[in-house]
Amino acid sequence: MTGFNEPAPTQTALLLLGRGTDPGSERGVDCPGELPAPSDPDLVARAEAAKETLGDDVFILGHHYQRDEVIQFADVTGDSFKLAQQAAARPDAEYIVFCGVHFMAESADILTGDHQRVVLPDLAAGCSMADMATASQVEQCWEDLAASGIAEATVPMTYMNSSAAIKGFVGREGGIVCTSSNAERALRWAYERGEKVLFLPDQHLGRNTVVREMGFSLEDCVLYNPHKPNGGLTDEELRDAKIILWKGHCSVHGRFTLDCVEELRERKPEVNILVHPECKHEVVAAADYVGSTEYIIKALEAAEPGSSWAVGTELNLVRRLANRHPDKEISFLDRTVCYCSTMNRIDLPHLVWALEELVAGRVPNQITVDVATAKHARAALDRMLELP
């Protein structure tokens, strides 16, 4: 018989598993040491031992979308901004190990003291949404708005899911940062100071917030595409718009479709559909409940026993919530697996490696933001913190 050779995994499959490398990435993907094998049966014991040795010198943060194998070692779990705040609230911890993605670790570095060092266990743990807006593209956009005569009437605003450079630009130009839970408050703050808002980098959060929460029409929104001259918009379209949305999106939440919702309602009429505001507008409009990650967690905690829920957010979190609430039927909105592939890169071997490097007196993968950028980004973050 002729032997059957299993095809090699594709580059995309390897990235989804957190085992591949992206040669086009701006950031390194190799550990400058020996990464433990995933099959090592002593990984949990090694992580426990390293954490115990470091004691109060280390503080481990775990984002809700992380794998359970990593979350078990987190001192605090939460969304990106909550974790950055928690890091800032632990000035005695010399090392902040951030099990999240790059922009989150940057925010932690901005908000923590100069004596603290922020470590990202895998430098390839980025965010596709954050990477959809570069500093040079945003500067070009601002020049386009100035040429159209509207820059002075526009307040820039960026979602937490953006690079420190983008937060720095927004802070420098008098703008503000928002999270998915306070986007409406931040937008109202912005409209008290300008006629228009440039919303970076997630189009869906911006559109959903102004239309659902603030009474705007879809016609009040225009989409700026950084890969087209003048964003693909006429000067008249820019001048007529109330909000200029950046052409960016979350690769996870963008996968949910109206077909998912309609097919599920047909199969299970009693289901409650709960989605994140990073989902497309038509998905949000068809859902029963819409809210941030923290909102989703609290809604399911408060739900009636026996109730049925389909949740449109990252799969690691949905599975964790289903296990936490066995008295409720909690399922994933889509039948397709939908992990956050870059968040998924931080696995137990990377965490063990990072902790053991710290035990050995070496600081791996330290994330630092330059002083000027940090100053302006901190201003934008502080404006958000001061929101009523």
Side-chain angles (χ1 to χ4, degrees):
M1 288 180 65
T2 303
F4 175 74
N5 293 321
E6 184 177 336
T10 64
Q11 181 76 10
T12 300
L14 289 171
L15 282 170
L16 287 169
L17 291 168
R19 299 295 175 199
T21 61
D22 179 4
S25 174
E26 294 180 2
R27 306 181 184 106
V29 295
D30 295 324
C31 296
E34 190 65 31
L35 188 68
S39 58
D40 185 342
D42 298 325
L43 282 177
V44 170
R46 288 172 65 177
E48 289 173 343
K51 188 176 180 184
E52 184 176 357
T53 299
L54 292 165
D56 292 337
D57 287 341
V58 69
F59 190 54
I60 302 176
L61 302 172
H63 191 272
H64 287 307
Y65 296 170
Q66 285 292 340
R67 306 163 183 247
D68 286 343
E69 67 185 49
V70 171
I71 285 292
Q72 66 180 315
F73 293 103
D75 294 302
V76 172
T77 60
D79 60 13
S80 58
F81 189 63
K82 174 186 174 182
L83 294 179
Q85 284 181 308
Q86 287 293 318
R90 299 294 180 116
D92 295 337
E94 183 178 357
Y95 308 115
I96 306 295
V97 177
F98 210 126
C99 298
V101 293
H102 197 269
F103 78 81
M104 300 178 190
E106 286 183 328
S107 294
D109 183 60
I110 291 166
L111 292 171
T112 51
D114 292 341
H115 64 288
Q116 294 177 286
R117 286 173 279 187
V118 178
V119 170
L120 186 65
D122 187 343
L123 289 179
C127 170
S128 60
M129 180 201 295
D131 291 342
M132 289 177 192
T134 67
S136 60
Q137 288 173 334
V138 175
E139 294 284 359
Q140 180 60 56
C141 173
W142 201 243
E143 290 179 16
D144 291 342
L145 300 190
S148 298
I150 62 170
E152 289 188 0
T154 303
V155 177
M157 178 172 165
T158 189
Y159 191 22
M160 275 292 293
N161 300 36
S162 58
S163 68
I166 302 301
K167 292 184 179 76
F169 164 84
V170 168
R172 189 189 77 208
E173 298 298 336
I176 190 170
V177 176
C178 76
T179 68
S180 54
S181 58
N182 67 16
E184 180 189 354
R185 280 181 288 150
L187 278 161
R188 293 192 186 281
W189 178 95
Y191 281 110
E192 289 172 359
R193 289 157 178 79
E195 297 173 13
K196 304 175 187 295
V197 167
L198 169 64
F199 193 93
L200 303 155
D202 180 22
Q203 59 171 302
H204 300 305
L205 177 62
R207 183 183 295 107
N208 288 328
T209 304
V210 296
V211 173
R212 291 185 70 254
E213 309 294 339
M214 300 175 65
F216 285 33
S217 70
L218 290 174
E219 289 69 33
D220 292 326
C221 313
V222 294
L223 191 62
Y224 184 96
N225 185 340
H227 301 292
K228 293 184 178 181
N230 211 44
L233 299 165
T234 66
D235 289 345
E236 183 179 7
E237 286 173 322
L238 287 170
R239 286 192 289 265
D240 289 345
K242 290 185 179 179
I243 184 166
I244 300 157
L245 304 168
W246 192 263
K247 189 175 173 57
H249 65 276
C250 170
S251 300
V252 170
H253 293 103
R255 292 179 62 96
F256 299 111
T257 65
L258 185 57
D259 286 343
C260 294
V261 177
E262 292 176 342
E263 188 273 337
L264 188 59
R265 286 205 190 280
E266 188 174 341
R267 279 194 298 115
K268 300 180 67 175
E270 77 283 4
V271 72
N272 295 284
I273 294 181
L274 171 61
V275 302
H276 195 282
E278 290 175 19
C279 292
K280 297 170 185 174
H281 181 68
E282 58 266 27
V283 173
V284 164
D288 298 303
Y289 303 94
V290 181
S292 66
T293 302
E294 295 290 343
Y295 173 91
I296 290 171
I297 293 169
K298 290 176 181 176
L300 292 174
E301 287 175 352
E304 290 291 327
S307 56
S308 176
W309 296 81
V311 186
T313 193
E314 203 273 343
L315 186 55
N316 276 318
L317 175 60
V318 177
R319 285 182 170 174
R320 190 172 303 127
L321 290 170
N323 291 332
R324 188 181 300 169
H325 302 290
D327 60 329
K328 300 152 194 173
E329 184 183 353
I330 299 172
S331 61
F332 193 56
L333 178 58
D334 193 0
R335 291 180 175 178
T336 304
V337 172
C338 196
Y339 290 107
C340 177
S341 60
T342 48
M343 188 84 73
N344 221 39
R345 293 195 67 93
I346 296 188
D347 54 11
L348 194 50
H350 281 90
L351 177 60
V352 168
W353 169 78
L355 292 174
E356 290 182 344
E357 285 290 290
L358 292 175
V359 170
R362 298 182 290 269
V363 182
N365 295 355
Q366 183 176 354
I367 302 300
T368 58
V369 178
D370 69 87
V371 174
T373 300
K375 174 185 174 183
H376 292 304
R378 180 65 187 256
L381 287 164
D382 283 343
R383 290 177 193 129
M384 179 180 71
L385 290 171
E386 292 166 4
L387 289 171

